[in-house]
């Protein structure tokens, strides 16, 4: 099954890839990696013609479950192609944060594809925030982001303003 519709992706993504990512997130959050999900990811690894977004999603799913060899293989596939959309860049930001790698290429892509003060759609903005939050949470953001502040708005209303603390990797709410 291929999911399409209004996703902020240039092409539809295989539903099995979305399911693998969702299951890995759930299992990683509960600290109980499921053998069935790991087998599923391994089975999907044998597919040919994975698009960069699918490879990035599977790399993230594999990394969350501690499947490091598979994660590296998928990551190499995803990183070998130019970025095409904010969602793929977001998955690569999350993956860079998990792996402790340099996120600068995906970070430049996400920030460079803003439209005014946000992104094209709510879903694209959500993907961007997830990727940026992963970098801030897992790495020293001062290494990648200049000092300043970030304001998150929902429907034009300020939800929170965050400032980067130059002394460390913590964001402070104001």
């Amino acid at each position: 099954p291929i999911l399409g519709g209004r996703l902020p992706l240039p092409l539809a993504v295989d539903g099995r890839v979305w399911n693998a990512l969702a299951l890995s997130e759930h299992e990683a959050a509960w600290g109980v990696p499921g053998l069935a999900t790991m087998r599923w990811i391994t089975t999907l690894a044998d597919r040919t013609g994975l698009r960069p977004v699918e490879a990035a999603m599977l790399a993230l799913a594999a990394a969350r479950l501690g499947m490091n060899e598979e994660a590296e293989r998928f990551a190499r596939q995803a990183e070998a192609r130019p970025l095409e959309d904010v969602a793929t860049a977001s998955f690569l930001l999350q993956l860079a944060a998990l792996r402790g790698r340099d996120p600068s290429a995906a970070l430049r892509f996400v920030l460079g594809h803003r439209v005014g003060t946000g992104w094209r759609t709510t879903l694209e903005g959500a993907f961007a925030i997830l990727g940026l939050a992963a970098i801030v949470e897992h790495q020293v953001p001062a290494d990648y982001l200049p000092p300043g502040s970030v304001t998150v708005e929902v429907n034009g209303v300020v939800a929170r303003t965050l400032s980067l603390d130059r002394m460390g990797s913590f964001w402070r709410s104001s």
Side-chain angles (χ1 to χ4, degrees):
I2 303 293
L3 299 178
R6 301 183 319 184
L7 294 174
L9 301 168
L11 299 169
V13 173
D14 186 326
R16 295 170 295 185
V17 174
W18 279 111
N19 289 340
L21 181 62
L23 286 169
S24 72
E25 177 68 25
H26 171 76
E27 292 168 8
W30 285 95
V32 184
L35 190 55
T37 303
M38 294 171 120
R39 283 187 190 144
W40 194 352
I41 291 170
T42 303
T43 301
L44 290 169
D46 296 334
R47 273 189 49 210
T48 57
L50 284 176
R51 292 189 297 277
V53 66
E54 293 170 330
M57 292 168 72
L58 288 171
L60 186 56
R64 285 183 175 149
L65 296 177
M67 301 172 66
N68 297 328
E69 285 183 32
E70 290 84 352
E72 286 302 317
R73 187 172 36 163
F74 286 128
R76 281 192 302 273
Q77 268 185 281
E79 293 165 346
R81 310 259 310 269
L83 287 169
E84 297 176 350
D85 53 74
V86 171
T88 304
S90 171
F91 293 130
L92 289 175
L93 283 173
Q94 293 173 61
L95 186 60
L98 277 176
R99 294 162 62 210
R101 302 284 173 84
D102 180 6
S104 56
L107 182 60
R108 280 192 301 273
F109 187 91
V110 167
L111 295 177
H113 281 79
R114 288 177 294 177
V115 177
T117 59
W119 283 269
R120 285 183 313 129
T121 65
T122 302
L123 282 173
E124 193 173 86
F127 277 119
I129 289 170
L130 287 172
L132 294 171
I135 293 300
V136 170
E137 182 179 33
H138 292 290
Q139 296 191 12
V140 180
D143 292 346
Y144 304 103
L145 302 172
S149 65
V150 174
T151 301
V152 178
E153 293 182 10
V154 178
N155 296 326
V157 177
V158 174
R160 181 167 287 177
T161 299
L162 305 166
S163 342
L164 181 60
D165 179 354
R166 274 308 246 174
M167 301 307 290
S169 62
F170 300 99
W171 288 87
R172 292 180 299 183
S173 293
S174 27

